[in-house]
Amino acid sequence: MQMNPVDREEHARRQRRRRRQVLGLVVCVMVLVGVGSTLFGGYRVVAALFDDTELRAEYEDRLRTLVMYDPLPFASLDQLDQTQLRQACIWGAIFNAQRSQGNLNGYERDPETECLILPVLEVDTYLTQLVGPDYQIQHESFESDGMIYQYSEELKGYLIPVTSEQGLYSPSVVKIKREGRTMRVTVGYVPQFNTTGEFSMTLPDEPTKYMDYIFTKPDKTFYLTALEASEMKPANSAAQDLPPQDYQQDFDPNAALRENMDEDLLSAVDAAASSSVPEGGAEEGGEEGGEEGGEEGGEEGGEEGGGE
């Protein structure tokens, strides 16, 4: 059946309308997709501006070995304990080497002591990364925490014992606030062992105190210049009441073990200790006791006889 001219024109008009509708729908979808992509991209940019996770991790690495020794607050680097700073730089250089090389096999060893020879150049490099190139430390032998660090002028390095250093705390950077050329880094101190004096197989996983490390930017890099007590306090009030740096003297691990041991086990330990006394010592004690007893008895008997 053939369509008359009027019907053909109406049919053509309907086809054009449908094509315009489809095209309009496609354009709307593309606009919505574009707007969504733009908004999502903007959100990612804004989130990246406020997300300082990588920066906090960077400062945790920079401060790790210094926080280990729990330095006292200082207003300038001249007030910072030089022994603690020297230790922090030594172990910071060692940790950097372990991270980059995977081990310490690349270092020379002293043939007599088997100590690792750490080049003083690496210690100075870590010092520069922490406090800047304008500050220097005096390299010399020293002793700290029962460990001897021997400096060799001939070898231009430190002889480090084949051991590890755990330190008192590990850092947890919780906030970074930048004010012009100054950056305040708030660091939470997470203890590396129980500081309450109680025997425990678990370690605290929350900071027991907070300190503010002040970094200043003289050129293109921020360098450590001061340390202050932070306004941030531990959420755990019990941890907040712990006296700082006193646990080293107060905590007796042997006493803590004895308090948590079974009474029968303690009796067995005491019996074993008493049985280990030398026989000569027991005989001498018996002879001395007998002589003292005889002398006292004789004197008492003489006094009674004289009285009668």
Side-chain angles (χ1 to χ4, degrees):
M1 179 178 179
Q2 295 184 353
M3 299 177 60
N4 58 42
V6 176
D7 293 337
R8 284 199 299 269
E9 181 64 26
E10 181 66 23
H11 179 73
R13 189 167 48 253
R14 291 177 181 176
Q15 292 294 332
R16 291 194 297 269
R17 185 185 301 115
R18 290 173 183 173
R19 286 197 293 267
R20 289 195 298 268
Q21 291 175 348
V22 171
L23 180 60
L25 179 61
V26 172
V27 172
C28 290
V29 171
M30 293 179 64
V31 169
L32 291 176
V33 170
V35 172
S37 299
T38 302
L39 292 176
F40 182 71
Y43 170 78
R44 293 181 60 181
V45 171
V46 174
L49 291 176
F50 288 95
D51 184 12
D52 59 352
T53 302
E54 294 184 1
L55 184 62
R56 286 189 283 114
E58 175 187 340
Y59 276 91
E60 284 180 1
D61 284 339
R62 292 182 67 181
L63 294 171
R64 185 172 307 280
T65 52
L66 187 58
V67 171
M68 282 169 50
Y69 300 105
D70 190 17
L72 295 174
F74 54 88
S76 66
L77 294 176
D78 295 334
Q79 299 176 0
L80 175 58
D81 186 280
Q82 295 299 293
T83 298
Q84 291 180 331
L85 180 58
R86 200 179 293 115
Q87 277 183 294
C89 292
I90 288 174
W91 287 103
I94 292 176
F95 290 163
N96 284 345
Q98 286 179 321
R99 180 167 48 192
S100 60
Q101 304 173 13
N103 53 57
L104 301 176
N105 296 335
Y107 289 98
E108 296 183 7
R109 301 276 178 169
D110 180 64
E112 297 182 358
T113 63
E114 291 296 324
C115 288
L116 178 149
I117 303 177
L118 180 66
V120 70
L121 178 61
E122 296 188 17
V123 179
D124 287 336
T125 299
Y126 186 86
L127 175 68
T128 300
Q129 294 174 350
L130 181 63
V131 299
D134 297 332
Y135 190 84
Q136 303 295 325
I137 57 176
Q138 181 179 357
H139 295 292
E140 59 185 7
S141 300
F142 64 98
E143 180 179 359
S144 178
D145 301 326
M147 183 178 296
I148 298 176
Y149 299 83
Q150 182 179 353
Y151 175 67
S152 172
E153 183 67 30
E154 179 181 358
L155 299 174
K156 296 297 181 181
Y158 285 93
L159 303 182
I160 308 299
V162 184
T163 182
S164 62
E165 184 78 336
Q166 185 177 14
L168 305 177
Y169 298 96
S170 64
S172 174
V173 175
V174 296
K175 183 172 63 174
I176 296 179
K177 182 179 181 181
R178 182 171 176 175
E179 301 171 348
R181 290 185 171 271
T182 301
M183 182 175 293
R184 181 178 296 269
V185 181
T186 302
V187 180
Y189 282 51
V190 181
Q192 293 299 286
F193 50 85
N194 198 313
T195 60
T196 62
E198 298 180 358
F199 181 77
S200 174
M201 296 300 292
T202 59
L203 298 177
D205 56 1
E206 294 293 334
T208 56
K209 69 174 183 177
Y210 294 89
M211 300 292 288
D212 286 345
Y213 285 80
I214 311 301
F215 288 79
T216 304
K217 184 179 181 181
D219 43 39
K220 297 181 180 180
T221 307
F222 284 94
Y223 296 114
L224 177 65
T225 55
L227 174 62
E228 301 175 358
S230 177
E231 296 180 354
M232 183 174 293
K233 302 302 179 184
N236 187 350
S237 59
Q240 182 177 348
D241 295 337
L242 288 175
Q245 296 183 331
D246 288 346
Y247 58 85
Q248 290 178 300
Q249 299 178 357
D250 298 337
F251 179 56
D252 183 358
N254 293 328
L257 283 171
R258 292 181 65 87
E259 291 178 358
N260 290 272
M261 289 171 63
D262 186 79
E263 294 183 358
D264 295 336
L265 183 57
L266 283 175
S267 301
V269 172
D270 295 337
S274 61
S275 63
S276 62
V277 177
E279 295 181 357
E283 292 175 359
E284 291 176 1
E287 291 175 0
E288 291 177 359
E291 291 175 358
E292 292 177 358
E295 291 176 358
E296 292 176 0
E299 291 175 359
E300 291 176 0
E303 291 175 357
E304 290 177 1
E308 291 176 356

